[in-house]
Amino acid sequence: MSSSWQRLEAMGLGPLWQRRSLPLPSLLATAPAARSLTATSVSPQVTPPPRPRHAGPVEHPAIQAMPAAAPIAPLVAPTQLPAAGELLPWPELEAAVAACRRCRLCETRTNTVFGRGQPGARWLLVGEAPGENEDRQGLAFVGRAGQLLDSMLAAIGLDSETDVFITNVLKCRPPGNRNPSGDEIAACQNYLLQQIAHLKPTVIVALGRFAAQTLLQNSDSIARLRGKVHHYHDIPLIVSFHPAYLLRNLPDKAKAWQDLVLAQRTQRAIEKPH
Ligand code: URA
């Protein structure tokens, strides 16, 4: 069994790929290693930067127009990335999050969750908010969903500790994992913006509808948002499923893998020497 196949098996993709008629198995056959996979089924027209601010997403023809689902993320007026002079140093930013009392979630949290991974990473993954395990341990995506995320990243050759930084829209757990409210998102927004201004990621992956709708300030469904290169403060942003959703909907793991391949292609297109 090839190493790429083993990685896909670890993600739970192996049997799925055998059942599907097109185009994933042929994709695998062209790939000597998962790291160098090219998604023939996902061939976005990646627009090289610079790109006009607020330009629309790059459409992928394979994505069918689907009716928009009811929005789950409240719209919160976006703010700009902090300028260099407004940036807290990374350790102070982390300390500010740990001490934060800007919203009611500070009363029910056990720990704040700043994020995990490499502060110098070129990939930024953004989820919704800490869950129970994350709240207890103070780390992002450490439960079963996090394990799935780590193995999906490994399948495209990324180490979740060294190649990416993983954080959430909210740094505190909403009680009972309820959806975050608009005032909580607004109170937390500057922390994520500060993180982005520090990291200067080449690509952002929004995990799940909540993160996607919050960052993109729209109410579109995941089906509409996937498969396109959006932009968040001029940084390419790819939308994918939340790993917790994937645990309940195994067939969509293959699509999530396509999303990561799209993110990787986007990142490489930007970083390749001209
Ligand atoms: N779900 C999220 O969105 N983030 C986490 O950190 C854990 C679960």
Side-chain angles (χ1 to χ4, degrees), residues 164-193:
V164 303
F165 191 79
I166 308 173
T167 189
N168 288 297
V169 172
L170 288 196
K171 311 303 185 209
C172 293
R173 181 191 184 206
N177 297 342
R178 66 161 168 75
N179 282 342
S181 64
D183 59 329
E184 292 159 358
I185 296 169
C188 225
Q189 186 167 239
N190 191 252
Y191 297 133
L192 181 61
L193 291 169

mmCIF file of all heavy atoms in Angstrom, residues 164-193:
data_model
loop_
_atom_site.group_PDB
_atom_site.id
_atom_site.type_symbol
_atom_site.label_atom_id
_atom_site.label_comp_id
_atom_site.label_asym_id
_atom_site.label_seq_id
_atom_site.Cartn_x
_atom_site.Cartn_y
_atom_site.Cartn_z
ATOM 1 N N VAL A 164 1.230 25.022 10.472
ATOM 2 C CA VAL A 164 -0.021 25.803 10.491
ATOM 3 C C VAL A 164 -0.187 26.449 11.863
ATOM 4 O O VAL A 164 0.455 26.058 12.834
ATOM 5 C CB VAL A 164 -1.259 24.913 10.205
ATOM 6 C CG1 VAL A 164 -1.145 24.199 8.879
ATOM 7 C CG2 VAL A 164 -1.492 23.905 11.312
ATOM 8 N N PHE A 165 -1.056 27.448 11.893
ATOM 9 C CA PHE A 165 -1.528 27.955 13.182
ATOM 10 C C PHE A 165 -3.045 27.784 13.164
ATOM 11 O O PHE A 165 -3.703 28.112 12.173
ATOM 12 C CB PHE A 165 -1.132 29.413 13.405
ATOM 13 C CG PHE A 165 -1.384 29.868 14.818
ATOM 14 C CD1 PHE A 165 -0.502 29.534 15.830
ATOM 15 C CD2 PHE A 165 -2.523 30.583 15.144
ATOM 16 C CE1 PHE A 165 -0.730 29.915 17.151
ATOM 17 C CE2 PHE A 165 -2.770 30.972 16.455
ATOM 18 C CZ PHE A 165 -1.868 30.633 17.463
ATOM 19 N N ILE A 166 -3.563 27.236 14.250
ATOM 20 C CA ILE A 166 -4.997 26.921 14.321
ATOM 21 C C ILE A 166 -5.619 27.727 15.453
ATOM 22 O O ILE A 166 -5.161 27.671 16.596
ATOM 23 C CB ILE A 166 -5.224 25.418 14.586
ATOM 24 C CG1 ILE A 166 -4.455 24.562 13.574
ATOM 25 C CG2 ILE A 166 -6.713 25.092 14.538
ATOM 26 C CD1 ILE A 166 -4.503 23.059 13.867
ATOM 27 N N THR A 167 -6.645 28.489 15.126
ATOM 28 C CA THR A 167 -7.314 29.261 16.156
ATOM 29 C C THR A 167 -8.820 29.282 15.869
ATOM 30 O O THR A 167 -9.308 28.563 15.004
ATOM 31 C CB THR A 167 -6.714 30.680 16.271
ATOM 32 O OG1 THR A 167 -7.253 31.329 17.431
ATOM 33 C CG2 THR A 167 -6.998 31.515 15.036
ATOM 34 N N ASN A 168 -9.532 30.105 16.599
ATOM 35 C CA ASN A 168 -10.989 30.184 16.453
ATOM 36 C C ASN A 168 -11.424 31.640 16.362
ATOM 37 O O ASN A 168 -10.701 32.544 16.796
ATOM 38 C CB ASN A 168 -11.664 29.557 17.676
ATOM 39 C CG ASN A 168 -11.522 28.042 17.689
ATOM 40 O OD1 ASN A 168 -12.009 27.354 16.808
ATOM 41 N ND2 ASN A 168 -10.824 27.528 18.694
ATOM 42 N N VAL A 169 -12.637 31.846 15.867
ATOM 43 C CA VAL A 169 -13.218 33.196 15.884
ATOM 44 C C VAL A 169 -13.334 33.673 17.337
ATOM 45 O O VAL A 169 -12.961 34.798 17.659
ATOM 46 C CB VAL A 169 -14.609 33.183 15.210
ATOM 47 C CG1 VAL A 169 -15.314 34.519 15.399
ATOM 48 C CG2 VAL A 169 -14.479 32.854 13.724
ATOM 49 N N LEU A 170 -13.823 32.809 18.195
ATOM 50 C CA LEU A 170 -13.923 33.139 19.629
ATOM 51 C C LEU A 170 -12.833 32.444 20.410
ATOM 52 O O LEU A 170 -12.505 31.297 20.120
ATOM 53 C CB LEU A 170 -15.272 32.704 20.200
ATOM 54 C CG LEU A 170 -16.526 33.462 19.823
ATOM 55 C CD1 LEU A 170 -17.649 33.104 20.792
ATOM 56 C CD2 LEU A 170 -16.328 34.959 19.779
ATOM 57 N N LYS A 171 -12.323 33.114 21.393
ATOM 58 C CA LYS A 171 -11.250 32.524 22.210
ATOM 59 C C LYS A 171 -11.786 31.882 23.490
ATOM 60 O O LYS A 171 -11.021 31.336 24.273
ATOM 61 C CB LYS A 171 -10.205 33.585 22.578
ATOM 62 C CG LYS A 171 -9.709 34.426 21.394
ATOM 63 C CD LYS A 171 -9.122 33.592 20.269
ATOM 64 C CE LYS A 171 -8.518 34.464 19.167
ATOM 65 N NZ LYS A 171 -8.561 33.831 17.848
ATOM 66 N N CYS A 172 -13.080 31.989 23.734
ATOM 67 C CA CYS A 172 -13.680 31.368 24.915
ATOM 68 C C CYS A 172 -14.849 30.489 24.484
ATOM 69 O O CYS A 172 -15.517 30.774 23.478
ATOM 70 C CB CYS A 172 -14.198 32.424 25.894
ATOM 71 S SG CYS A 172 -12.892 33.400 26.642
ATOM 72 N N ARG A 173 -15.110 29.473 25.272
ATOM 73 C CA ARG A 173 -16.192 28.547 24.942
ATOM 74 C C ARG A 173 -17.562 29.144 25.287
ATOM 75 O O ARG A 173 -17.783 29.552 26.430
ATOM 76 C CB ARG A 173 -16.022 27.257 25.739
ATOM 77 C CG ARG A 173 -17.088 26.244 25.432
ATOM 78 C CD ARG A 173 -17.065 25.087 26.405
ATOM 79 N NE ARG A 173 -18.056 24.087 26.019
ATOM 80 C CZ ARG A 173 -18.636 23.249 26.842
ATOM 81 N NH1 ARG A 173 -18.304 23.256 28.125
ATOM 82 N NH2 ARG A 173 -19.519 22.385 26.415
ATOM 83 N N PRO A 174 -18.483 29.163 24.327
ATOM 84 C CA PRO A 174 -19.858 29.524 24.677
ATOM 85 C C PRO A 174 -20.470 28.366 25.473
ATOM 86 O O PRO A 174 -20.292 27.207 25.099
ATOM 87 C CB PRO A 174 -20.548 29.679 23.318
ATOM 88 C CG PRO A 174 -19.438 29.772 22.316
ATOM 89 C CD PRO A 174 -18.302 28.987 22.874
ATOM 90 N N PRO A 175 -21.169 28.644 26.552
ATOM 91 C CA PRO A 175 -21.723 27.572 27.376
ATOM 92 C C PRO A 175 -22.568 26.610 26.553
ATOM 93 O O PRO A 175 -23.354 27.044 25.711
ATOM 94 C CB PRO A 175 -22.587 28.322 28.404
ATOM 95 C CG PRO A 175 -22.141 29.727 28.362
ATOM 96 C CD PRO A 175 -21.540 29.976 27.012
ATOM 97 N N GLY A 176 -22.338 25.329 26.793
ATOM 98 C CA GLY A 176 -23.108 24.314 26.066
ATOM 99 C C GLY A 176 -22.835 24.305 24.572
ATOM 100 O O GLY A 176 -23.616 23.747 23.809
ATOM 101 N N ASN A 177 -21.762 24.920 24.157
ATOM 102 C CA ASN A 177 -21.389 25.014 22.729
ATOM 103 C C ASN A 177 -22.464 25.689 21.886
ATOM 104 O O ASN A 177 -22.634 25.380 20.705
ATOM 105 C CB ASN A 177 -21.098 23.623 22.134
ATOM 106 C CG ASN A 177 -19.920 22.957 22.785
ATOM 107 O OD1 ASN A 177 -19.113 23.620 23.445
ATOM 108 N ND2 ASN A 177 -19.808 21.651 22.633
ATOM 109 N N ARG A 178 -23.205 26.620 22.475
ATOM 110 C CA ARG A 178 -24.186 27.354 21.671
ATOM 111 C C ARG A 178 -23.460 28.227 20.650
ATOM 112 O O ARG A 178 -22.263 28.474 20.772
ATOM 113 C CB ARG A 178 -25.075 28.225 22.582
ATOM 114 C CG ARG A 178 -24.327 29.343 23.281
ATOM 115 C CD ARG A 178 -25.273 30.426 23.765
ATOM 116 N NE ARG A 178 -24.615 31.348 24.678
ATOM 117 C CZ ARG A 178 -23.752 32.289 24.323
ATOM 118 N NH1 ARG A 178 -23.389 32.422 23.060
ATOM 119 N NH2 ARG A 178 -23.213 33.089 25.220
ATOM 120 N N ASN A 179 -24.219 28.688 19.655
ATOM 121 C CA ASN A 179 -23.621 29.585 18.663
ATOM 122 C C ASN A 179 -23.184 30.888 19.321
ATOM 123 O O ASN A 179 -23.909 31.427 20.156
ATOM 124 C CB ASN A 179 -24.616 29.912 17.560
ATOM 125 C CG ASN A 179 -24.757 28.779 16.563
ATOM 126 O OD1 ASN A 179 -23.906 27.900 16.486
ATOM 127 N ND2 ASN A 179 -25.841 28.794 15.816
ATOM 128 N N PRO A 180 -22.028 31.401 18.938
ATOM 129 C CA PRO A 180 -21.607 32.699 19.460
ATOM 130 C C PRO A 180 -22.576 33.809 19.040
ATOM 131 O O PRO A 180 -23.192 33.746 17.976
ATOM 132 C CB PRO A 180 -20.240 32.914 18.810
ATOM 133 C CG PRO A 180 -19.766 31.543 18.455
ATOM 134 C CD PRO A 180 -20.996 30.767 18.103
ATOM 135 N N SER A 181 -22.702 34.811 19.878
ATOM 136 C CA SER A 181 -23.594 35.925 19.550
ATOM 137 C C SER A 181 -22.785 37.067 18.929
ATOM 138 O O SER A 181 -21.544 37.096 19.004
ATOM 139 C CB SER A 181 -24.295 36.415 20.818
ATOM 140 O OG SER A 181 -23.328 36.941 21.703
ATOM 141 N N GLY A 182 -23.505 38.008 18.328
ATOM 142 C CA GLY A 182 -22.846 39.117 17.640
ATOM 143 C C GLY A 182 -21.947 39.929 18.553
ATOM 144 O O GLY A 182 -20.835 40.313 18.161
ATOM 145 N N ASP A 183 -22.391 40.183 19.785
ATOM 146 C CA ASP A 183 -21.552 41.008 20.672
ATOM 147 C C ASP A 183 -20.305 40.242 21.111
ATOM 148 O O ASP A 183 -19.235 40.833 21.313
ATOM 149 C CB ASP A 183 -22.360 41.526 21.876
ATOM 150 C CG ASP A 183 -22.948 40.413 22.720
ATOM 151 O OD1 ASP A 183 -23.265 39.350 22.158
ATOM 152 O OD2 ASP A 183 -23.074 40.609 23.943
ATOM 153 N N GLU A 184 -20.412 38.908 21.212
ATOM 154 C CA GLU A 184 -19.216 38.117 21.568
ATOM 155 C C GLU A 184 -18.210 38.121 20.418
ATOM 156 O O GLU A 184 -16.999 38.246 20.639
ATOM 157 C CB GLU A 184 -19.639 36.685 21.924
ATOM 158 C CG GLU A 184 -20.441 36.610 23.214
ATOM 159 C CD GLU A 184 -21.285 35.356 23.354
ATOM 160 O OE1 GLU A 184 -21.306 34.514 22.426
ATOM 161 O OE2 GLU A 184 -21.969 35.224 24.390
ATOM 162 N N ILE A 185 -18.731 37.998 19.192
ATOM 163 C CA ILE A 185 -17.828 38.033 18.027
ATOM 164 C C ILE A 185 -17.143 39.396 17.950
ATOM 165 O O ILE A 185 -15.928 39.490 17.734
ATOM 166 C CB ILE A 185 -18.617 37.765 16.728
ATOM 167 C CG1 ILE A 185 -19.200 36.366 16.744
ATOM 168 C CG2 ILE A 185 -17.725 37.955 15.509
ATOM 169 C CD1 ILE A 185 -20.202 36.110 15.624
ATOM 170 N N ALA A 186 -17.929 40.454 18.153
ATOM 171 C CA ALA A 186 -17.360 41.805 18.064
ATOM 172 C C ALA A 186 -16.304 42.010 19.151
ATOM 173 O O ALA A 186 -15.235 42.587 18.895
ATOM 174 C CB ALA A 186 -18.470 42.845 18.197
ATOM 175 N N ALA A 187 -16.577 41.497 20.341
ATOM 176 C CA ALA A 187 -15.628 41.678 21.444
ATOM 177 C C ALA A 187 -14.314 40.951 21.179
ATOM 178 O O ALA A 187 -13.247 41.383 21.606
ATOM 179 C CB ALA A 187 -16.253 41.175 22.748
ATOM 180 N N CYS A 188 -14.390 39.843 20.448
ATOM 181 C CA CYS A 188 -13.204 39.007 20.222
ATOM 182 C C CYS A 188 -12.478 39.343 18.921
ATOM 183 O O CYS A 188 -11.360 38.892 18.699
ATOM 184 C CB CYS A 188 -13.661 37.542 20.170
ATOM 185 S SG CYS A 188 -12.639 36.414 21.115
ATOM 186 N N GLN A 189 -13.143 40.111 18.065
ATOM 187 C CA GLN A 189 -12.667 40.291 16.693
ATOM 188 C C GLN A 189 -11.223 40.788 16.610
ATOM 189 O O GLN A 189 -10.428 40.330 15.802
ATOM 190 C CB GLN A 189 -13.597 41.273 15.985
ATOM 191 C CG GLN A 189 -13.327 41.459 14.534
ATOM 192 C CD GLN A 189 -14.468 42.180 13.841
ATOM 193 O OE1 GLN A 189 -15.068 41.665 12.915
ATOM 194 N NE2 GLN A 189 -14.775 43.384 14.287
ATOM 195 N N ASN A 190 -10.897 41.712 17.493
ATOM 196 C CA ASN A 190 -9.566 42.310 17.401
ATOM 197 C C ASN A 190 -8.447 41.300 17.677
ATOM 198 O O ASN A 190 -7.349 41.425 17.136
ATOM 199 C CB ASN A 190 -9.457 43.502 18.354
ATOM 200 C CG ASN A 190 -8.202 44.300 18.075
ATOM 201 O OD1 ASN A 190 -7.253 44.266 18.859
ATOM 202 N ND2 ASN A 190 -8.162 44.978 16.951
ATOM 203 N N TYR A 191 -8.730 40.288 18.497
ATOM 204 C CA TYR A 191 -7.690 39.291 18.768
ATOM 205 C C TYR A 191 -7.323 38.525 17.504
ATOM 206 O O TYR A 191 -6.151 38.293 17.213
ATOM 207 C CB TYR A 191 -8.144 38.325 19.869
ATOM 208 C CG TYR A 191 -8.370 38.994 21.203
ATOM 209 C CD1 TYR A 191 -9.517 38.749 21.949
ATOM 210 C CD2 TYR A 191 -7.432 39.878 21.724
ATOM 211 C CE1 TYR A 191 -9.718 39.364 23.174
ATOM 212 C CE2 TYR A 191 -7.634 40.506 22.941
ATOM 213 C CZ TYR A 191 -8.780 40.250 23.663
ATOM 214 O OH TYR A 191 -8.983 40.868 24.862
ATOM 215 N N LEU A 192 -8.357 38.132 16.753
ATOM 216 C CA LEU A 192 -8.074 37.400 15.516
ATOM 217 C C LEU A 192 -7.362 38.307 14.512
ATOM 218 O O LEU A 192 -6.416 37.895 13.843
ATOM 219 C CB LEU A 192 -9.373 36.849 14.921
ATOM 220 C CG LEU A 192 -9.213 36.038 13.628
ATOM 221 C CD1 LEU A 192 -8.330 34.810 13.847
ATOM 222 C CD2 LEU A 192 -10.565 35.616 13.064
ATOM 223 N N LEU A 193 -7.799 39.550 14.438
ATOM 224 C CA LEU A 193 -7.146 40.487 13.509
ATOM 225 C C LEU A 193 -5.684 40.691 13.890
ATOM 226 O O LEU A 193 -4.801 40.762 13.027
ATOM 227 C CB LEU A 193 -7.896 41.821 13.497
ATOM 228 C CG LEU A 193 -9.286 41.781 12.852
ATOM 229 C CD1 LEU A 193 -10.038 43.080 13.124
ATOM 230 C CD2 LEU A 193 -9.179 41.538 11.347
#
